[in-house]
Amino acid sequence: MRHRNFRIPPRREAGYSLPELIMVVGVILLAMIALGTVTERVLGSQTLNSATRELANYLIMARAEAVRHQTITQIRFVTDESDAVADSGEALRSFSIWSLEDSDGPIYKPLTGWRDLPEGVILEPSFPDYVRSSSYAQNDGTTIRGDYVLKPEGTAKTVEKAGKEVPYRHIEFLPTGSARIPSGESNQSIVVVVEGYLAPSGNVVRTAPKVETGSDVVANWSQINIANLTGNVRIYRP
């Protein structure tokens, strides 16, 4: 009977060679970077969603107060139309509800304290062009036809906040539940919330990644529409 000779392969020492170790570390780093990017995007979207819901709830609450107490209520948004708030972090982020105190005079009292949008989220100062390329705008052009609440129209009014006068724009609700903004001509009012911040130059820096490389179309925002006739609130997302 013939016997075959089997050769036992030499035993490999535990561990990796230097080139293998470099490759493994590189793969791990790439995975961590990818995971960090995904996590950052998820957190950014969650922050935007939370801020949008809160602002929509304030609009609904302002309307409910107007109907319940048969008065006029306003939501006032601090704008960036003054050097006094350019670097304060409150421009295009702070809002509160005010109520007409006496129907015989234009005196309003605050119903809520000032509320700030979370860091990394800001209100667009005017209606942005990138919204026009959204799927909902392409499917229904009426979704983007309206008056923009924060759009500069004449001289902004001011209100005292933390001991200084700050400019604001507003939307108000009537006792019937309907809504309106000064100089409004459309049947709905619009506010857009986007990931970003206000730079010292006064320009909004949008931090959400673009839809395509080299594109000017922002990937992540929320549009809130208020039907002026009924005061109903609706949210649109890209």
Side-chain angles (χ1 to χ4, degrees), residues 16-235:
Y16 296 96
S17 66
L18 182 58
E20 290 175 327
L21 183 60
I22 293 174
M23 181 180 296
V24 171
V25 172
V27 171
I28 293 174
L29 288 175
L30 288 175
M32 292 177 65
I33 292 172
L35 179 60
T37 301
V38 171
T39 301
E40 183 179 352
R41 294 304 320 131
V42 170
L43 292 176
S45 293
Q46 290 177 344
T47 301
L48 178 64
N49 288 339
S50 176
T52 303
R53 286 194 299 269
E54 181 174 23
L55 179 52
N57 287 337
Y58 264 66
L59 289 163
I60 293 170
M61 182 166 58
R63 179 186 182 279
E65 287 293 317
V67 173
R68 181 181 299 114
H69 298 289
Q70 289 295 288
T71 186
I72 298 176
T73 59
Q74 298 179 344
I75 288 196
R76 299 181 176 183
F77 301 92
V78 177
T79 63
D80 64 337
E81 301 169 82
S82 169
D83 293 337
V85 294
D87 299 320
S88 67
E90 59 194 8
L92 302 178
R93 294 184 56 237
S94 297
F95 56 93
S96 63
I97 300 177
W98 294 67
S99 174
L100 184 62
E101 189 173 37
D102 188 346
S103 59
D104 294 331
I107 299 175
Y108 286 80
K109 62 179 180 181
L111 290 183
T112 68
W114 289 97
R115 180 66 179 172
D116 292 339
L117 294 174
E119 291 288 342
V121 178
I122 197 167
L123 298 167
E124 287 282 7
S126 59
F127 189 77
D129 286 336
Y130 59 75
V131 172
R132 304 182 191 280
S133 63
S134 65
S135 58
Y136 62 81
Q138 297 297 318
N139 293 332
D140 182 2
T142 63
T143 58
I144 59 172
R145 294 175 193 159
D147 298 308
Y148 197 73
V149 177
L150 276 69
K151 178 182 178 181
E153 196 75 39
T155 303
K157 295 181 179 180
T158 62
V159 63
E160 184 176 335
K161 181 179 186 292
K164 60 182 178 182
E165 292 293 317
V166 296
Y168 72 90
R169 301 284 173 175
H170 72 273
I171 181 172
E172 62 185 21
F173 294 90
L174 306 181
T176 59
S178 60
R180 67 186 181 189
I181 65 173
S183 302
E185 299 178 350
S186 181
N187 59 1
Q188 68 180 352
S189 302
I190 301 174
V191 177
V192 175
V193 189
V194 68
E195 290 184 50
Y197 62 92
L198 188 65
S201 62
N203 296 322
V204 173
V205 178
R206 299 164 186 85
T207 56
K210 303 298 186 287
V211 175
E212 298 177 357
T213 303
S215 170
D216 291 329
V217 180
V218 177
N220 206 17
W221 76 86
S222 296
Q223 178 180 329
I224 303 176
N225 285 11
I226 304 96
N228 290 344
L229 182 61
T230 63
N232 292 336
V233 175
R234 184 168 181 178
I235 297 172

